[in-house]
Amino acid sequence: MSLDFLTEAFQDDRLLWFLNRGTGVILLVLMTASVALGVLSTVRASSVFWPRFVTQGLHRNISLLCVALLIAHAALAVIDEFVNIRWFDMVVPFVGEYQPLWLGLGTLATDFVILTVITGLSRTRFGSRSWRTIHLTSYLGWLAGLVHGFGIGTDSREVWSMGVTVACVGVVAGAVAVRLGTLGTERRMDRRQSSPGRRAR
């Protein structure tokens, strides 16, 4: 019975679309979590209940999961023959025959995410400034992925889909707001510690 169900499922032309769209939505949520955790991991303050290394570890592991899901999402788009998406459209942006702008943004997001994960895993081989500059492209990757899903998704105007999009924007905006707030506090503390009166003591 289960084998018959699986056979019918794989014969259903909609299966690849459901899988592709499903991985796309999950991917947006994971990328949002990765970006937000990446922003929060730069905050110097930590808690006994939530140490900084936990945030950094989650950020790293979710980023790796994003790469695996990105490959699956892109592969599903190529395998599905409903529209013509070629294998090199997965890595070369804006050359696709099907909706080149929206598809190209998805490819750009893939390239940025893979770049930041690879450089993150080999951080010791880069200077601090170079690594941070490259790693900042993760923001562009997240934004490109967000716009890609909204532009190319056939159900992106549905209430639930727009709700996911708005929630993801809110999470990243909230993380950035927290970081900007703590950044001002950290700079004031640095100035106090480096002041002549403080050093004289």
Side-chain angles (χ1 to χ4, degrees), residues 7 23 33 51 61 129 197:
T7 302
T23 55
N61 291 329
R129 181 173 296 180

Side-chain angles (χ1 to χ4, degrees), residues 34-164:
S34 176
V35 169
L37 287 168
V39 172
L40 295 175
S41 68
T42 61
V43 177
R44 294 184 198 171
S46 62
S47 168
V48 176
F49 302 102
W50 191 271
R52 188 178 174 188
F53 74 85
V54 173
T55 304
Q56 294 171 334
L58 279 173
H59 168 63
R60 188 181 304 110
N61 291 329
I62 291 176
S63 297
L64 291 172
L65 186 57
C66 282
V67 171
L69 202 58
L70 264 172
I71 294 171
H73 179 65
L76 285 166
V78 173
I79 293 170
D80 188 359
E81 296 179 350
F82 185 74
V83 293
N84 185 27
I85 298 178
R86 300 155 299 186
W87 67 268
F88 55 84
D89 292 329
M90 295 169 57
V91 290
V92 183
F94 308 115
V95 296
E97 296 177 358
Y98 175 72
Q99 300 197 31
L101 175 60
W102 305 127
L103 182 63
L105 286 171
T107 303
L108 204 61
T110 301
D111 293 342
F112 279 138
V113 169
I114 291 175
L115 175 66
T116 53
V117 169
I118 289 175
T119 54
L121 292 174
S122 54
R123 182 174 181 175
T124 55
R125 299 188 179 184
F126 295 87
S128 178
R129 181 173 296 180
S130 299
W131 179 84
R132 289 186 181 184
T133 301
I134 296 172
H135 216 67
L136 284 174
T137 59
S138 61
Y139 296 105
L140 296 177
W142 172 80
L143 181 60
L146 183 81
V147 178
H148 158 77
F150 188 77
I152 207 170
T154 53
D155 55 357
S156 60
R157 281 16 175 222
E158 297 289 337
V159 174
W160 69 266
S161 183
M162 294 183 70
V164 170

